[in-house]
Structures are given as C-alpha cells and as structure tokens.
Amino acid sequence: SLSGIGGVETGSDAAEFILLGADTVQVCTGVMIHGYPLVKTLCGGLQDFMVEHGFNSLDDFKGMTLPSFTTHMELVRMQKEAISAKRAKKVGLASDKDWTGDGFVQETDTMVSNN
C-alpha cells in the first residue's frame, strides 16, 4: 500500500496524491497548524473535487495520472523537442523592409514564442 504525505492542506492536495495512486493520505503539519477541524475541511474539499469531476468513489480516480507520470529527464527532453518544433515553424522576416504594414499582426505572430 502507498501513503501520500507532505504538504496536504486542502482536498485538492489529497486528490493529487490519490491521482498518483496513494491508498491513504497522511496529514501532520496541517493538523498541527490548523487543528483537527482541518480533517473535516479536507474531506469536504475532496468530496467537492470528486463531484466536480464526476467521481463516485476514490477507486474511480486512484492512480489515474500514472500513465502520464514520467521522469524529470524525460520532461526536459520533451520540452526541448517541443521548443525545437515550435522554432522550426516560426517564419519571421528577413529585414525591416519586409514589413507590409497591413499584415503586421500576422507577421508578428510568426515571431513570438508563445503562439
């Protein structure tokens, strides 16, 4: 069995551990800071999460994110690949004389990195 622990102060925090496959979620510091009433707040927040996403039981979403779970090195590799692909699509303009004026928005869109 797997228990999630660390930084649990909301129902969403607890849901994150369950989504990663935790059978139980432990709370220590949160209870020391906020007292035992935090447990009811956590349960209510977890129930709200379940209603929002249409889950009827913990088993409905336990471990659901595991297929997307990967290593940091793999995330870095995927990020570099995505950035390279994005840069390859950027057209840009060779010089200032290439600006048309009418196509300013479209020409600019080809050069910005967040599109």
Side-chain angles (χ1 to χ4, degrees), residues 5 11 17 22 25 35 41 69 79-80 88 90:
I5 186 168
F17 280 112
V25 177
T41 303
F69 198 75
Q79 182 182 39
K80 285 180 182 177
K90 298 297 175 199

Side-chain angles (χ1 to χ4, degrees), residues 70-107:
T70 189
T71 65
H72 181 261
M73 287 184 68
E74 177 63 7
L75 288 174
V76 169
R77 184 199 63 75
M78 291 166 56
Q79 182 182 39
K80 285 180 182 177
E81 188 177 284
I83 289 169
S84 293
K86 196 174 204 179
R87 284 185 180 151
K89 285 196 264 182
K90 298 297 175 199
V91 177
L93 300 171
S95 72
D96 285 346
K97 67 180 172 66
D98 294 333
W99 288 102
T100 65
D102 293 334
F104 178 77
V105 172
Q106 293 81 10
E107 291 163 354

Side-chain angles (χ1 to χ4, degrees), residues 29-57:
T29 308
V31 170
M32 291 190 312
I33 293 171
H34 304 288
Y36 287 108
L38 176 66
V39 175
K40 281 190 177 184
T41 303
L42 287 172
C43 289
L46 185 55
Q47 288 172 336
D48 292 344
F49 171 86
M50 292 172 64
V51 167
E52 179 182 342
H53 296 284
F55 301 127
N56 296 313
S57 72

Side-chain angles (χ1 to χ4, degrees), residues 2-8 17 24-29 42:
L2 179 68
S3 187
I5 186 168
V8 180
F17 280 112
T24 62
V25 177
Q26 298 180 44
V27 182
C28 182
T29 308
L42 287 172

